[in-house]
Amino acid sequence: MHFSSDNWAGAHPRIAESLTRHAAGFEPAYGGGDLDAAVTRRFCEIFEREVAVFFVGTGTAANALSLTLHARPGGIAFCHRGAHIMEDECGAPEYLSGGGRLRAVDGPFGKFSADALERSVARFFPQIVHDGRACAISITQATEAGTVYSLDEIEGISAVAGKFALPLHMDGARFANALVSLDTTPAEMTWKRGVDMVSFGGTKNGCWCAEAIVLFDTSKADELAFIRKRAAQLFSKSRFIAAQFDAYFADDLWLETARHANATAAALADVLRTAPLTRLAWEPQANEVFGIMRRDTMDRALAAGARFYEWHVPADFAEPIAPDEVLCRFVTSFATSRGEIDTFARLVGN
Amino acid sequence: MHFSSDNWAGAHPRIAESLTRHAAGFEPAYGGGDLDAAVTRRFCEIFEREVAVFFVGTGTAANALSLTLHARPGGIAFCHRGAHIMEDECGAPEYLSGGGRLRAVDGPFGKFSADALERSVARFFPQIVHDGRACAISITQATEAGTVYSLDEIEGISAVAGKFALPLHMDGARFANALVSLDTTPAEMTWKRGVDMVSFGGTKNGCWCAEAIVLFDTSKADELAFIRKRAAQLFSKSRFIAAQFDAYFADDLWLETARHANATAAALADVLRTAPLTRLAWEPQANEVFGIMRRDTMDRALAAGARFYEWHVPADFAEPIAPDEVLCRFVTSFATSRGEIDTFARLVGN
Amino acid sequence: MHFSSDNWAGAHPRIAESLTRHAAGFEPAYGGGDLDAAVTRRFCEIFEREVAVFFVGTGTAANALSLTLHARPGGIAFCHRGAHIMEDECGAPEYLSGGGRLRAVDGPFGKFSADALERSVARFFPQIVHDGRACAISITQATEAGTVYSLDEIEGISAVAGKFALPLHMDGARFANALVSLDTTPAEMTWKRGVDMVSFGGTKNGCWCAEAIVLFDTSKADELAFIRKRAAQLFSKSRFIAAQFDAYFADDLWLETARHANATAAALADVLRTAPLTRLAWEPQANEVFGIMRRDTMDRALAAGARFYEWHVPADFAEPIAPDEVLCRFVTSFATSRGEIDTFARLVGN
Amino acid sequence: MHFSSDNWAGAHPRIAESLTRHAAGFEPAYGGGDLDAAVTRRFCEIFEREVAVFFVGTGTAANALSLTLHARPGGIAFCHRGAHIMEDECGAPEYLSGGGRLRAVDGPFGKFSADALERSVARFFPQIVHDGRACAISITQATEAGTVYSLDEIEGISAVAGKFALPLHMDGARFANALVSLDTTPAEMTWKRGVDMVSFGGTKNGCWCAEAIVLFDTSKADELAFIRKRAAQLFSKSRFIAAQFDAYFADDLWLETARHANATAAALADVLRTAPLTRLAWEPQANEVFGIMRRDTMDRALAAGARFYEWHVPADFAEPIAPDEVLCRFVTSFATSRGEIDTFARLVGN
């Protein structure tokens, strides 16, 4: 019953096999090899256009360096209050961007609306040095609340970004989970809706460590090359990240693993919705599920070996929650089995 | 004939096998798993004392974050003019340390003497804010010139560090190559000689990406944990770095691969020393060899498929070198074969 | 009718006279002169203890460098949502601290309570690297809302700071205004209540540019000396800042100018409270007054030559405010005359 | 006998008078007042073109923020080994630029040649991320060695800058001294020779604290406005810096004070050249003079009340200097009297 996080899982066998297959032989270091080039072309096909691709080691690096690319003196990047860059990266975005600031935008279920964003951005005037100035907007897709921005919502947000001439970044640590949830294409979910750059995550969906910054404006690639190297994120044996992505995309493995994770999340949501001792906090749309239960129920489940986290109740949480209740987060992955969910179901009275 | 760099090689089969073996199952993320703990204990055994170990993704990260741990306002870290941190890291040490400065110390064959270091440090007075102040010393072992500091030389340098109360960092991107060259133990080459922290590199010696910061003063571990996370170098599936080190240390694989690299370097040095068209620039002590040849010889070798780099002649280069001659660097690795060296020997007239 | 800000005023004649008096002759640069030493001793007398004093050029510098002194990787400084460091310094605290983060604490009338602070700090655990960690607390005295923390309130906040072992910084850009408002002593308002460092402002209260960082823990002085120099805030002809403070403290000029500013603010508050066309937003305690009026009244006053700013209504504003009403800020200073207030009173119907 | 530095002098009476004259009345803060605008126009007249002018508090700030304007990831700014930014600013350029690097270029008498610069810059290739990349060139005029770049030399250097598309910064802490030494105009010494920005210093030449960044490319002004504010260098009562420059330029006071300083330096050079116990190290061209004498002579002069500094002998010092000799620096200013020089002459045997 491993629901702590999708990064508690290991690597998918086909990812592991690819790493082994590409272990032998010599290749130019620092991304100069054939495999890196081939995988970059694969990214272009997947996104149906020319893109610049920069492999990095962690999602935090992908996010922080994307924002660093657009950092400006006094710059403020807007994100949801619960965004990973705000809550879970130890200030990496501020640090790596040379002192930039993040500003929280509120909204229920891990998403903010275009209107809320516009109100938040509009109070900064481009010429008033005291306040600082807007420099970027970041959304997470799928969100940290397990929800997914619709294509229309993304378009609405990018319209605000465009109005203020701001780049729109998408933290796609769970890009594949959102993609299959919306049943759309990478192009439709990103640049066709005005997204400028993506932190494209493979790690949570079956890779070991395969993250990439994808730029739709390739004129910024030269700059990002220096940004990445300066941040110690240029891997000498870059081919091994390429090898992971190579297997990730082959035969649509990435969509298969994401569908599996989403499906097991839906099954877990069913359990939480219907079990006598739990209820569902809100409807999941990807591979993170939030449930509410009594603290003693949670303690019992943990004692029985279930692994999941109590969660901070977000500020704009709409559900009434009793004093003895807790909000809990469950995450599924490519490696989650139906058996684990059945076992958990029995634990909570189903 | 792949002599470009040891990071053009892939991963040793036993490293690759370990990655696959540890791919399945769930483990706490961010270094909390059993394998991470076991490998940390292995580091303690290898260094014969309690150490704190922080896995990171690149050698640049290991170096820059080691120096960041000791950064101070106005701080200056001293290193050899040809040090990797000075020449090859795109300013990562300055950037990640919040604007620290590196100061070059000169010395032949990639090493500086204790005396040269002392003269360089002594001109900074701890209370004069204008000049800045010394904050760390860094040596590379084996050096970028393929040489190795003797234990006495390390001790001499650490005595200077101690005199000025400065931490001594060792860039051990080729730690194993130096270790087997000196036929000594990790403890003797480091903390027993006054080294305070090591960038412990596995990547160039057969791993895919396995680098670790090793602290002998474990009281600084809490601080480094935040430094690493903030720099986006905390890997969620940390177990895969652990898995590499696990195989690296098992049955002394790391010493075996380092000995192989050094031995092939020695063979290559023999070729350069004795071939009619080349000469040896200086005696190698690890797995980097520097030779001198006419430019047309170099061009012919490159055209014939040999892979190596022309090198900048260092400022204090003692050998007379003719205008039509070039200095070239050759690097061997665990994957270098005797056949490659024989082929090269034929190319240069042996 | 200059109520825009207290920094629209010039310099008090006695400050100007002191600058002229100290213009001639030679003095050691960079703070090494006799006048600097004498003024530092004066600070010690005023605070009734040994203090370390660092002159800087702007209040933003004093604040940001105070926080930089306590910056830590992943560090978060807590301040009121409306704090100057949060709203008006263009990200200087984040930038100069190497990427630190500010976190807003809410509370009415520009102040937060000890309880609100504790709730905000308590969610950061010292060992969890993902979230970052608390590193400092900052309060503004007098606040940006023209209110003043009572001695008990300061003590309550410092108790929270102490519980989490965090330094407590006081942004005293309007230190004197708060001091005379509370009718207390500098010692009572600061270190006797647990404050660790003060941005001691003279500029808004009659100096040209005289700001100082006052440290009660003098063991940190060496570090701050480098922090100040590195931030380009060490003035070569430091004596001229000293000359301002010399006159500022002489014959309690600073208390006199602060009392005048507060008294004229109180008179202005009376006008706003009683005039037919205005009302007082809340009771001022120092030299900033907030009033509410119809937008057309404001426009008329501005057209008639009154200088003041429309203000953003703070998030937790308790007063009902009509759609056609605006919140306005008025600031008085040593240079504000009763005549200006009388003129304004006539404008708004008194 | 105050020859320690030109910043040991106070303020010229006409500067002091201007400060007093502008002390009364209200002015928009942060540079929005009439006097600021008038002084900016005066700068345009002096430079015979449109310029953007940013007042800052220190020369270190002017230099570091000029370089920050042109900072790039992995960026390297080239300057003379003895440049103030390299030797005397506690790492402010690196820190404020977010981790940029300075690289020393050598050359005798405080100047580097266009050729030396070109060799130094040429080894950095714009696309090689490992090495970093050139981002700016900085020269000091007059230099730290009391010499002055000729107009031809500046033009030669700017040609190299242009070849590599790099901005050329001039540290003009002693701009006026160089100007009158060359008997040329500000326009001829700067933008007509390819200089892009100037740290325009008034402090060392009779102001209290009046420094300005002058940009010839005004399209960068918006960016620099944020850079200045973020670095805590935007003064609220900016009019007082303006007031200093107002008097500085009036009736060519600045040229008069610079001529006086240079003339007294020349007189001091005569003393050092001809006195039995001293010799001149090299010919001064501005207001800094370097002499050589026996250590006991120096000690005697200091004991007799002369104030000057022993200086580090620069690496490429051409003069033979005996083991018991020392190199000493003497600086004159607007406040230096002929009497002081006569007294010193008697001390050294003239």
Side-chain angles (χ1 to χ4, degrees), chain A residues 1-345:
Chain A
M1 291 179 292
H2 289 94
F3 307 124
S4 299
S5 182
D6 30 14
N7 56 30
W8 284 44
H12 190 279
R14 278 149 65 185
I15 303 291
E17 186 276 331
S18 179
L19 279 169
T20 300
R21 183 154 33 91
H22 289 285
F26 295 86
E27 282 277 357
Y30 300 115
D34 291 343
L35 186 61
D36 285 75
V39 168
T40 295
R41 282 194 303 275
R42 192 76 187 89
F43 267 97
C44 294
E45 291 165 17
I46 283 169
F47 279 99
E48 303 173 43
R49 62 170 288 164
E50 201 65 23
V51 297
V53 180
F54 292 85
F55 301 148
V56 294
T58 64
T60 295
N63 289 334
L65 299 186
S66 293
L67 296 177
T68 297
L69 181 64
H70 292 282
R72 308 173 71 187
I76 299 168
F78 295 78
C79 65
H80 191 270
R81 181 173 303 281
H84 199 267
I85 55 176
M86 186 63 114
E87 287 293 305
D88 287 298
E89 300 186 354
C90 192
E94 291 92 335
Y95 164 65
L96 291 172
S97 68
R101 183 181 284 186
L102 300 179
R103 192 170 176 96
V105 184
D106 287 305
F109 308 129
K111 302 194 286 185
F112 55 70
S113 68
D115 281 356
L117 175 66
E118 181 156 5
R119 280 192 304 274
S120 191
V121 176
R123 60 151 293 190
F124 292 90
F125 298 96
Q127 303 299 330
I128 306 293
V129 296
H130 305 276
D131 300 356
R133 55 184 167 173
C135 68
I137 294 166
S138 180
I139 58 174
T140 312
Q141 179 79 326
T143 76
E144 292 79 3
T147 55
V148 171
Y149 283 99
S150 73
L151 299 187
D152 281 355
E153 288 171 332
I154 297 171
E155 194 157 277
I157 286 167
S158 81
V160 175
K163 182 172 172 182
F164 294 97
L166 298 174
L168 178 55
H169 167 254
M170 177 181 281
D171 175 356
R174 295 186 179 94
F175 187 92
N177 303 92
L179 192 74
V180 301
S181 175
L182 290 176
D183 194 18
T184 187
T185 67
E188 291 291 344
M189 197 167 84
T190 59
W191 62 272
K192 289 189 176 178
R193 290 297 171 289
V195 173
D196 294 295
M197 52 189 166
V198 177
S199 295
F200 188 94
T203 306
K204 289 182 193 291
N205 191 32
C207 294
W208 163 28
C209 93
E211 305 286 319
I213 302 171
V214 178
L215 295 186
F216 301 123
D217 176 359
T218 57
S219 75
K220 302 228 175 256
D222 281 358
E223 192 71 3
L224 191 52
F226 280 88
I227 287 174
R228 177 178 60 172
K229 173 66 188 175
R230 184 183 60 159
Q233 289 286 342
L234 176 58
F235 285 73
S236 57
K237 297 184 179 175
S238 173
R239 72 162 107 163
F240 287 108
I241 299 183
Q244 294 178 66
F245 276 127
D246 191 52
Y248 190 65
F249 292 138
D251 302 322
D252 288 343
L253 172 62
W254 66 309
L255 305 180
E256 177 190 315
T257 49
R259 282 191 194 105
H260 177 86
N262 287 9
T264 46
L268 190 58
D270 278 344
V271 170
L272 290 163
R273 193 189 292 106
T274 59
L277 298 174
T278 62
R279 54 201 171 101
L280 191 61
W282 58 79
E283 286 298 324
Q285 295 174 283
N287 67 320
E288 294 192 284
V289 186
F290 290 79
I292 299 168
M293 62 189 79
R294 290 227 316 265
R295 183 169 293 278
D296 58 0
T297 306
M298 177 184 79
D299 290 343
R300 201 148 30 82
L302 293 172
R307 292 286 164 269
F308 58 90
Y309 287 116
E310 181 182 349
W311 215 244
H312 297 294
V313 179
D316 48 10
F317 192 69
E319 283 292 294
I321 184 168
D324 64 343
E325 284 184 324
V326 288
L327 178 71
C328 298
R329 189 193 75 162
F330 304 79
V331 191
T332 59
S333 74
F334 78 94
T336 305
S337 69
R338 295 284 168 157
E340 292 181 287
I341 292 167
D342 294 344
T343 307
F344 181 76

Side-chain angles (χ1 to χ4, degrees), chain C residues 243-307:
Chain C
Q244 294 179 66
F245 276 126
D246 192 50
Y248 190 64
F249 292 137
D251 302 322
D252 289 343
L253 172 62
W254 67 308
L255 304 179
E256 176 190 316
T257 50
R259 282 192 195 104
H260 177 87
N262 286 10
T264 47
L268 190 59
D270 277 345
V271 171
L272 290 163
R273 193 188 292 106
T274 59
L277 297 175
T278 62
R279 57 202 168 99
L280 191 62
W282 56 80
E283 286 299 324
Q285 297 174 280
N287 68 321
E288 294 191 285
V289 186
F290 291 79
I292 299 167
M293 63 189 77
R294 288 227 317 266
R295 181 168 295 278
D296 58 0
T297 306
M298 177 183 80
D299 290 343
R300 200 147 32 79
L302 293 171
R307 291 286 165 269

Side-chain angles (χ1 to χ4, degrees), chain B residues 201-265:
Chain B
T203 306
K204 289 183 194 290
N205 192 31
C207 294
W208 163 30
C209 94
E211 305 286 321
I213 302 171
V214 178
L215 296 185
F216 301 122
D217 177 359
T218 56
S219 75
K220 302 228 174 256
D222 281 358
E223 192 70 4
L224 191 52
F226 280 88
I227 286 175
R228 177 177 62 172
K229 173 65 187 176
R230 183 183 62 158
Q233 289 285 345
L234 176 57
F235 286 72
S236 57
K237 297 183 178 175
S238 173
R239 71 162 109 163
F240 287 108
I241 299 184
Q244 293 179 67
F245 277 126
D246 191 51
Y248 190 65
F249 292 138
D251 302 323
D252 288 342
L253 173 62
W254 67 307
L255 304 180
E256 176 189 316
T257 50
R259 282 191 194 106
H260 177 87
N262 287 10
T264 47

